[in-house]
């Protein structure tokens, strides 16, 4: 069965044009409505009490500030900062009415005595905006360290500051420039280290550093120069080895449209490239957006490295139809774990069955937009047996059209509906639908 949905595709094009025109005509009112939606959520009862205590201390002319990323996304962070088994409140706010040369971003720590919250200390922040907050022990100290990442100038320069909350005040122990930071047990000793990644600068290339405080809470530094030029970092993920130590997967931006992954580990003394091969990082080069992820849920990250399906060698006519090789570090080398078709924009991967990995190619149907898999026999211009096609609907009308054409609905998420249609045949690579269902991953 070969489905045809040309009229539905035309309908989608016309609908998109109409919607675009409507948005252009009402752009002013649309922008205003978005602005009205971007307001802080209502405060809970305890937060209201903390906010009132903050106003009693700092004045009424203040505005709450929020971290942009991480686990703490509220202006109010409740955590045991001093090890007394009672939560303190760390609050970020901007003090209005200051001069242009003054930093209006501030931090206030409040403590609860009985049923009453009161301000304990109030200090200026280390930057103009809060990027991320982590509260965790670092090294052998059991007391929580407050690690705050700030943007400093035009959200480009970033600085992290490590604070202790001690004897009623915030004490700054350490500060460093960063592009991305995290806290993790890197060497498997049960204690956490501070990991700091920095992109290329005018004075040096990209580097990774691990910081551990000594008994005086002075931070010892171990550094590793990364092998690739880097304009920024997207994320870090970890693979835990049998000895408890971690391999760090650092996704880094290497150009406007490209990224790759550097892998390294920490043995408690020094940082080490994994694998110990100069070309390893360049082998992970791919398009921006193809982030490393645990595609099979086994706890080990996989790197989605893009190449071409059979028949496309030397032909870049359709760059959207790419074969993805999922790579991971094993025995000090990068190895291929899976092959798939992976659509970042649609949020799914179809993991190729083993029998399809070398003799199947994929083509985008110009009429329906489906991704169609064929038994490849040496040339894209020769007749090929269709094996399966995948389609994604973006509304209920389109969903109904897929069902009418005999597709099977295999997954839905929000307004997206994922379909497959298996072409039954006597081909040697034919696999029934029931078996192919297990090959889909939704991310």
């Amino acid at each position: 069965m070969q489905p045809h949905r040309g009229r539905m595709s035309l309908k989608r094009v016309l609908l998109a044009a109409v919607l675009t025109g409507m948005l252009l005509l009402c752009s002013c009112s649309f922008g205003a409505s978005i602005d009205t939606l971007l307001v802080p959520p209502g405060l809970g009862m305890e937060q209201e009490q903390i906010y009132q205590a903050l106003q009693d201390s700092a004045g009424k002319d203040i505005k709450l500030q929020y971290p942009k990323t991480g686990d703490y996304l509220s202006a109010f962070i409740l955590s045991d900062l001093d090890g007394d088994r009672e939560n303190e409140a760390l609050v970020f706010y901007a003090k209005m009415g200051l001069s242009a040369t003054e930093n209006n971003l501030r931090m206030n720590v409040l403590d609860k005595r009985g049923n009453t919250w009161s301000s304990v200390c109030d200090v200026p922040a280390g930057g103009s905006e809060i990027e991320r907050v982590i509260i965790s022990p670092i090294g052998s100290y059991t007391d929580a360290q407050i690690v705050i990442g700030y943007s400093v100038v035009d959200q480009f320069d970033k600085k992290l500051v490590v604070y202790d909350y001690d004897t009623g005040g915030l004490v700054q122990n350490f500060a460093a420039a960063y592009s991305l930071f995290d806290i993790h047990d890197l060497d498997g000793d049960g204690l956490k280290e501070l990991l700091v990644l920095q992109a290329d600068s005018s004075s040096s290339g990209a580097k990774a550093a691990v910081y551990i405080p000594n008994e005086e809470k002075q931070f010892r530094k171990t550094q590793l120069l990364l092998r690739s030029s880097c304009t920024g970092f997207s994320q870090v993920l970890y693979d835990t080895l049998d000895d408890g130590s971690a391999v760090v997967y650092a996704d880094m931006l290497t150009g406007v449209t490209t990224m790759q992954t550097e892998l390294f580990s920490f043995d408690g003394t020094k940082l080490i490239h994994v694998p110990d091969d100069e070309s390893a990082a360049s082998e992970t080069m791919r398009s921006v957006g193809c982030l490393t992820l645990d595609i099979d849920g086994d706890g080990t990250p996989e790197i989605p490295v893009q190449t071409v399906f059979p028949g496309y060698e030397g032909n870049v006519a359709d760059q959207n139809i790419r074969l993805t090789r999922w790579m991971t570090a094993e025995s000090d080398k990068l190895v291929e774990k899976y092959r798939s078709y992976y659509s970042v924009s649609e949020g799914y991967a179809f993991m190729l069955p083993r029998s399809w990995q070398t003799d199947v190619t994929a083509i985008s149907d110009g009429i329906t937009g489906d991704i169609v898999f064929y038994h490849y026999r040496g040339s894209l211009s020769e007749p090929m047996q269709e094996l399966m096609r995948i389609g994604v609907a973006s509304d209920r009308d389109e969903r109904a059209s897929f069902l009418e054409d005999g597709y099977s609905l295999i997954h839905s998420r929000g307004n997206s509906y994922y379909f497959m249609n298996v072409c039954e045949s006597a081909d040697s690579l034919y696999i029934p639908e029931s078996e192919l269902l297990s090959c889909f991953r939704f991310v």
Side-chain angles (χ1 to χ4, degrees):
M1 178 178 181
Q2 179 97 2
H4 295 284
R5 295 182 288 105
R7 285 186 298 175
M8 181 55 67
S9 295
L10 178 60
K11 179 181 176 181
R12 290 200 300 269
V13 172
L14 292 174
L15 179 60
V18 171
L19 289 175
T20 301
M22 292 173 63
L23 287 175
L24 289 174
L25 289 172
C26 64
S27 59
C28 293
S29 61
F30 180 74
S33 65
I34 287 294
D35 290 340
T36 60
L37 291 175
L38 294 177
V39 296
L43 302 180
M45 182 179 298
E46 188 167 40
Q47 290 180 337
E48 286 282 8
Q49 295 172 353
I50 296 170
Y51 186 56
Q52 183 60 56
L54 176 64
Q55 287 186 316
D56 292 342
S57 171
K60 303 289 186 180
D61 195 14
I62 61 175
K63 183 179 180 182
L64 295 176
Q65 301 295 299
Y66 298 80
K68 296 179 181 178
T69 62
D71 294 334
Y72 298 106
L73 297 176
S74 171
F76 300 86
I77 296 177
L78 295 175
S79 184
D80 182 5
L81 303 178
D82 56 8
D84 65 354
R85 299 186 181 182
E86 298 289 340
N87 284 340
E88 288 74 39
L90 176 64
V91 185
F92 303 100
Y93 72 95
K95 194 171 184 64
M96 313 310 292
L98 299 181
S99 68
T101 59
E102 295 180 275
N103 182 13
N104 67 349
L105 180 62
R106 301 188 67 83
M107 299 184 297
N108 194 298
V109 177
L110 302 99
D111 204 351
K112 191 175 186 179
R113 296 179 176 89
N115 294 320
T116 303
W117 285 95
S118 59
S119 174
V120 176
C121 69
D122 189 284
V123 298
S128 57
E129 293 190 13
I130 309 151
E131 296 289 330
R132 187 184 184 193
V133 178
I134 299 178
I135 298 177
S136 171
I138 304 175
S140 59
Y141 290 95
T142 57
D143 289 349
Q145 305 283 290
I146 304 165
V147 186
I148 303 178
Y150 299 103
S151 55
V152 181
V153 180
D154 296 329
Q155 300 182 3
F156 182 76
D157 294 325
K158 295 182 180 180
K159 180 178 77 172
L160 69 85
V161 180
V162 180
Y163 302 91
D164 261 340
Y165 176 65
D166 189 22
T167 62
L170 284 170
V171 178
Q172 178 176 320
N173 287 332
F174 174 74
Y178 81 96
S179 298
L180 186 150
F181 72 91
D182 199 18
I183 295 176
H184 193 82
D185 180 7
L186 298 172
D187 55 3
D189 65 352
L191 305 175
K192 295 181 180 181
E193 293 79 34
L194 173 62
L195 172 66
V196 178
L197 302 178
Q198 285 185 268
D200 292 0
S201 67
S202 58
S203 59
S204 68
K207 50 186 175 287
V210 170
Y211 294 90
I212 306 173
N214 61 18
E215 293 181 356
E216 289 75 35
K217 295 191 177 180
Q218 298 171 331
F219 280 72
R220 173 174 61 87
K221 176 182 179 181
T222 301
Q223 182 172 289
L224 178 71
L225 291 177
L226 301 182
R227 288 169 168 161
S228 305
S229 178
C230 168
T231 60
F233 292 88
S234 298
Q235 64 172 2
V236 290
L237 298 176
Y238 308 94
D239 183 17
T240 303
L241 305 180
D242 291 340
D243 63 359
S245 64
V247 174
V248 181
Y249 289 64
D251 282 352
M252 53 199 296
L253 305 176
T254 56
V256 176
T257 61
T258 58
M259 67 182 301
Q260 60 191 56
T261 302
E262 290 257 10
L263 293 90
F264 53 88
S265 63
F266 178 62
D267 65 3
T269 302
K270 61 183 181 299
L271 285 161
I272 307 164
H273 287 291
V274 177
D276 188 16
D277 181 349
E278 289 288 340
S279 64
S282 62
E283 291 176 6
T284 68
M285 183 75 71
R286 57 203 188 270
S287 299
V288 166
C290 291
L291 297 175
T292 299
L293 54 89
D294 182 4
I295 191 65
D296 57 4
D298 67 348
T300 297
E302 287 86 30
I303 307 168
V305 180
Q306 297 169 320
T307 183
V308 294
F309 275 98
Y312 287 93
E313 295 83 358
N315 181 0
V316 294
D318 194 345
Q319 291 292 335
N320 293 323
I321 308 304
R322 307 284 283 176
L323 175 69
T324 298
R325 302 171 65 221
W326 297 88
M327 312 294 289
T328 192
E330 290 182 9
S331 302
D332 200 36
K333 63 181 179 180
L334 283 176
V335 299
E336 179 184 296
K337 198 170 179 182
Y338 306 106
R339 292 188 178 189
S340 79
Y341 170 74
Y342 175 37
S343 173
V344 176
S345 59
E346 300 287 5
Y348 77 91
F350 173 72
M351 317 305 288
L352 294 177
R354 187 169 297 276
S355 61
W356 286 21
Q357 292 192 1
T358 57
D359 296 322
V360 168
T361 194
I363 296 175
S364 176
D365 188 317
I367 297 176
T368 66
D370 293 344
I371 303 301
V372 188
F373 297 86
Y374 292 94
H375 187 166
Y376 179 72
R377 300 183 184 277
S379 174
L380 294 178
S381 61
E382 297 295 326
M384 296 183 293
Q385 173 62 52
E386 178 179 326
L387 301 171
M388 182 192 72
R389 55 177 58 218
I390 302 170
V392 181
S394 58
D395 57 50
R396 288 188 173 274
D397 288 341
E398 197 176 4
R399 173 183 180 275
S401 179
F402 272 102
L403 294 173
E404 290 171 3
D405 284 339
Y407 287 68
S408 297
L409 176 63
I410 59 174
H411 186 72
S412 64
R413 178 171 54 202
N415 292 323
S416 295
Y417 304 90
Y418 300 82
F419 291 88
M420 68 183 297
N421 188 293
V422 176
C423 186
E424 295 186 12
S425 70
D427 190 273
S428 60
L429 294 184
Y430 165 74
I431 298 176
E433 179 182 289
S434 59
E435 295 181 27
L436 292 175
L437 279 171
S438 63
C439 297
F440 285 89
R441 303 288 186 273
F442 297 92
V443 297

